[in-house]
Amino acid sequence: MMVRSGNPVLRLGTLIFAVLSLLLGAGGTGWPQSAPPALGLQEQGPQTAPPPSTSAPSSPPAREENPGLINEMGKLFDKLPSILPPIKSPSETMNDLSRLATPSAMVSGRMACPASSNGAPDCKQAADQLCQSKGYKEGKSLNADSAEKCSAKVLIPGRQRKPDDCRTDTFVTSALCQN
């Protein structure tokens, strides 16, 4: 039915009536949802209903699990608090921020990174030394530079270069220092 009235209130009333009648009319029964197909399994003959239980009439019958979209969304919302991280109190948040905002300064210089026990350069120790030379307690390396240092034997014409003639030195050139 098409309403062609010039009155917008009449149009709105007709639209609301149509929506309500659809909602109330469809509220009684719904379309059945089919169970998802079992992959790789075949049915073994007709299924029989479970025998009726002789439970006390005071307890309501157990609700059947409905595998619909709304039910699955409900399960998701039930699991949501365990998925999310715990909410911190304002005092805990301020403590975290104060730890991040400790006074620090960026310093520049050149401090050699000593070799650690595995042969790699230890630039944390060099950053600490650079910061201590500027009056701070400790530091983190921000920028590093490396250079190859060779012996004078490399400059001899016609001499074959050997693996132990040169070594690579690493230097911390800037560090973030804290008290």
Side-chain angles (χ1 to χ4, degrees):
M1 175 170 99
M2 185 70 101
V3 176
R4 294 195 186 265
S5 171
N7 188 352
V9 174
L10 185 60
R11 283 188 202 168
L12 180 63
T14 306
L15 179 65
I16 290 173
F17 175 74
V19 169
L20 285 176
S21 63
L22 282 174
L23 289 175
L24 293 176
T29 59
W31 290 336
Q33 293 184 356
S34 63
L39 300 175
L41 298 177
Q42 296 179 355
E43 289 189 26
Q44 300 290 329
Q47 295 180 352
T48 60
S53 63
T54 57
S55 62
S58 63
S59 67
R63 240 180 73 196
E64 184 179 316
E65 185 70 22
N66 185 1
L69 176 66
I70 303 297
N71 188 39
E72 295 300 320
M73 288 176 64
K75 289 179 186 177
L76 176 69
F77 285 124
D78 289 341
K79 294 177 185 175
L80 198 58
S82 65
I83 296 171
L84 295 175
I87 298 174
K88 292 183 178 181
S89 69
S91 63
E92 290 173 332
T93 304
M94 290 305 292
N95 288 340
D96 290 346
L97 288 175
S98 67
R99 266 187 252 128
L100 290 175
T102 56
S104 58
M106 188 178 95
V107 297
S108 296
R110 189 169 172 91
M111 189 65 64
C113 299
S116 63
S117 60
N118 64 358
D122 183 12
C123 290
K124 169 65 174 145
Q125 184 179 355
D128 288 343
Q129 289 174 353
L130 181 62
C131 289
Q132 289 167 0
S133 71
K134 305 288 184 178
Y136 293 97
K137 184 178 177 183
E138 64 177 349
K140 284 187 175 181
S141 172
L142 290 179
N143 196 11
D145 189 19
S146 59
E148 188 175 55
K149 188 173 185 179
C150 298
S151 69
K153 295 177 188 176
V154 175
L155 300 175
I156 299 173
R159 182 179 178 276
Q160 291 292 325
R161 188 171 175 174
K162 296 182 181 172
D164 60 345
D165 284 344
C166 298
R167 71 172 191 267
T168 302
D169 290 336
T170 307
F171 300 93
V172 171
T173 55
S174 62
L176 185 66
C177 302
Q178 296 179 345
N179 285 333

